Amino acid sequence: MTLSAAASATPGSGEIVAATGFFLDLTPLQRARIAALGRIEHYRQDGQIYDIGDTAADFYVLVDGMVRFSIGLGNRRAAAGQVLRRGEVFGWAALVEEAPKRIASASCITACTVLAINGDQLLLLMEADHSLGFRLMKQLNSLITGNLTSFASG
């Protein structure tokens, strides 16, 4: 099952991680270990997943729905923000040890289902399995660079 396939039931954490591009370079065992850290959460339309200044506790995979991701810095906030769709990841500050607070907001354009992965536990897993950690840091680098480039270009 892919995250883009229509489904009447929410897939399990293992299926979600296995179908998410961010985790594709990992082995099945590594993906299973990450899935074990996740929990499914549901948000209503117009619900706030997190806001600027919130504690960066979780890293998210969007399972269903659409999320507006807007980066802010000081008094500046992206005007419209980026629209995230099924299978995309966000909440990367939870994987940056020096970033304990959110510098972005994530709000639901539609009703949403997410897989929330505890950032501290994932960082411990990355430390214990350097291959997993290296692969995820490469992905994270691309994700952050893309988000910040989007923000800078307005």
Side-chain angles (χ1 to χ4, degrees), residues 133-151:
F134 177 73
R135 288 182 175 123
L136 289 186
M137 279 297 137
K138 281 178 57 176
Q139 291 289 85
L140 188 63
N141 182 40
S142 294
L143 179 65
I144 293 172
T145 301
N147 287 157
L148 295 178
T149 300
S150 259
F151 175 68

Side-chain angles (χ1 to χ4, degrees), residues 35-82:
L37 303 177
R39 67 188 180 286
I40 302 294
E41 295 182 350
H42 302 279
Y43 293 87
R44 62 177 173 72
Q45 181 177 355
D46 298 322
Q48 193 76 17
I49 298 172
Y50 59 80
D51 204 355
I52 295 170
D54 289 353
T55 300
D58 294 316
F59 179 68
Y60 298 93
V61 177
L62 183 55
V63 177
D64 194 31
M66 293 182 356
V67 167
R68 180 168 318 282
F69 176 79
S70 299
I71 294 179
L73 189 58
N75 293 330
R76 184 171 179 206
R77 187 184 288 238
Q82 178 182 4

Side-chain angles (χ1 to χ4, degrees), residues 12-37:
S13 297
E15 292 173 287
I16 294 165
V17 171
T20 301
F22 189 84
F23 301 113
L24 284 182
D25 288 343
L26 302 178
T27 68
L29 179 58
Q30 289 171 326
R31 288 193 298 263
R33 288 179 178 152
I34 291 170
L37 303 177

Side-chain angles (χ1 to χ4, degrees), residues 70-131:
S70 299
I71 294 179
L73 189 58
N75 293 330
R76 184 171 179 206
R77 187 184 288 238
Q82 178 182 4
V83 175
L84 304 176
R85 290 178 169 66
R86 188 179 304 185
E88 294 189 80
V89 297
F90 60 101
W92 44 260
L95 301 182
V96 179
E97 290 177 323
E98 293 79 29
K101 300 287 183 186
R102 300 283 183 195
I103 64 164
S105 64
S107 56
C108 301
I109 297 170
T110 65
C112 293
T113 301
V114 299
L115 177 66
I117 301 169
N118 181 279
D120 288 339
Q121 292 176 354
L122 184 52
L123 285 168
L124 288 173
L125 182 59
M126 292 164 67
E127 181 67 31
D129 180 344
H130 293 165
S131 171

